[in-house]
Amino acid sequence: MTSPYSLLAELTYRCPLQCPYCSNPLQLRNYTQELDTETWKRVFREAADLGVVQVHLSGGEPLARTDLVELVQEARDCDLYSHLSTSAAIGDESTFGRLREAGLDAVQISLQDSQPGSNDWIAGFGCFDKKERAVREARRLGFAVTLNVVLHRHNLSRLEEIIDLAANWDADRVELAHTQYTGWAFQNRAALLPSREQVEQAEEIVAAARNRLGRRPDMVHVLPDYFQDLPKACLGGWGNVMLTVAPDGAVLPCQTAREIPDLEFPNCKDHSLEDIWFHSDVFTRFRGTDWLPEPCRSCERKELDFGGCRCQAFLVTGDVAATDPVCHLSPMRFLIDAALQEADAAAGEFEYRTMSGTSQ
């Protein structure tokens, strides 16, 4: 068994944005206790000792942590490559400068849409202008800057505008990631799922933009699972290459694993990352391929996709150990097809993310 090379440090679930596709837990009010500064520093040291080489600072909105500069400095002291994922909706003009001085390596800024009105409507918060200023300031300071755009029914019609905006803002990279239907996105699935025509057009738009714009910005287009015939490996396989530490200290094989009931997540306040990675039940249960059901067990792709996403399997089928239902060989694929049909008939309204949890 190998050691992880990446740590996702979810510093907080607090966030001014209310994005309806957020992957954070629905019942956010259950996880309001956050690790203190010294505990996060210990986590970084343990991660480095375990073999981790990069730490992704995320949330929620990590800029909500008043100790973020201090945590970035600790990551630098541990020789960890640090990458900040932010909405850029809070902070002041000095924020990125102080993070740069502390040793932050790269910045990823989220964008909801290409136009201020629709961007702020999807986010549930006025933030478009702040994002543009943040991207330009981060570039001025010499950061590698990625613009991350979650794609869905409500912004796919402006995909070409989004790409051109990323180029105009001089982003190094733009991640065009179709919504993964977990957390709040699963709650809003019928309102967010695009049409097949939209997905096909998106592929054509991205291909044309690559030809037109060349290598800058670098474009990554992650297609939606529900429109594929084969599943993706969940973060390189459950507990294979990365681990997540949640704001309250729970250590997860992936950031959405709390979707699955009856899993007990060890806490870094009580156990070392090494002990959790190598010995905890939640990390070893779906690691590798020995646990796979049929038809996965006999599939020649089992070392490529490891049965697909466990959270998706549970949310769609109710069985965490089932074959990912997006697979055309899954006996439950009809549930995905039914969801697509439901989305085609949906009115398009969604429920915003809130700290108090779902209203349903």
Side-chain angles (χ1 to χ4, degrees), residues 268-283:
C268 65
K269 291 183 287 189
D270 306 314
H271 306 276
S272 70
L273 292 190
E274 180 179 19
D275 181 57
I276 293 169
W277 178 262
F278 287 110
H279 304 297
S280 68
D281 175 71
V282 74
F283 271 81

Side-chain angles (χ1 to χ4, degrees), residues 168-197:
N168 178 264
W169 288 2
D170 197 27
D172 298 281
R173 177 183 174 96
V174 57
E175 292 184 357
L176 305 165
H178 288 259
T179 302
Q180 183 72 14
Y181 292 96
T182 58
W184 289 87
F186 188 77
Q187 178 83 3
N188 289 301
R189 183 177 64 174
L192 293 172
L193 270 167
S195 68
R196 187 170 295 277
E197 181 182 9

Side-chain angles (χ1 to χ4, degrees), residues 139-159:
R139 288 291 298 123
R140 187 188 69 81
L141 291 168
F143 280 113
V145 178
T146 296
L147 204 59
N148 175 265
V149 187
V150 177
L151 300 174
H152 46 80
R153 175 189 301 187
H154 300 281
N155 61 8
L156 270 169
S157 62
R158 289 177 292 280
L159 179 55

Side-chain angles (χ1 to χ4, degrees), residues 184-257:
W184 289 87
F186 188 77
Q187 178 83 3
N188 289 301
R189 183 177 64 174
L192 293 172
L193 270 167
S195 68
R196 187 170 295 277
E197 181 182 9
Q198 282 183 303
V199 174
E200 292 172 351
Q201 288 177 345
E203 290 188 271
E204 295 173 0
I205 289 169
V206 172
R210 284 177 175 144
N211 289 332
R212 176 166 53 89
L213 296 174
R215 296 183 177 181
R216 187 173 183 85
D218 179 32
M219 277 175 261
V220 178
H221 187 207
V222 182
L223 292 170
D225 286 7
Y226 278 45
F227 292 87
Q228 306 302 299
D229 293 328
L230 296 170
K232 301 180 181 75
C234 178
L235 299 175
W238 180 278
N240 275 358
V241 297
M242 71 173 298
L243 72 165
T244 296
V245 177
D248 61 341
V251 185
L252 319 174
C254 80
Q255 65 264 38
T256 60

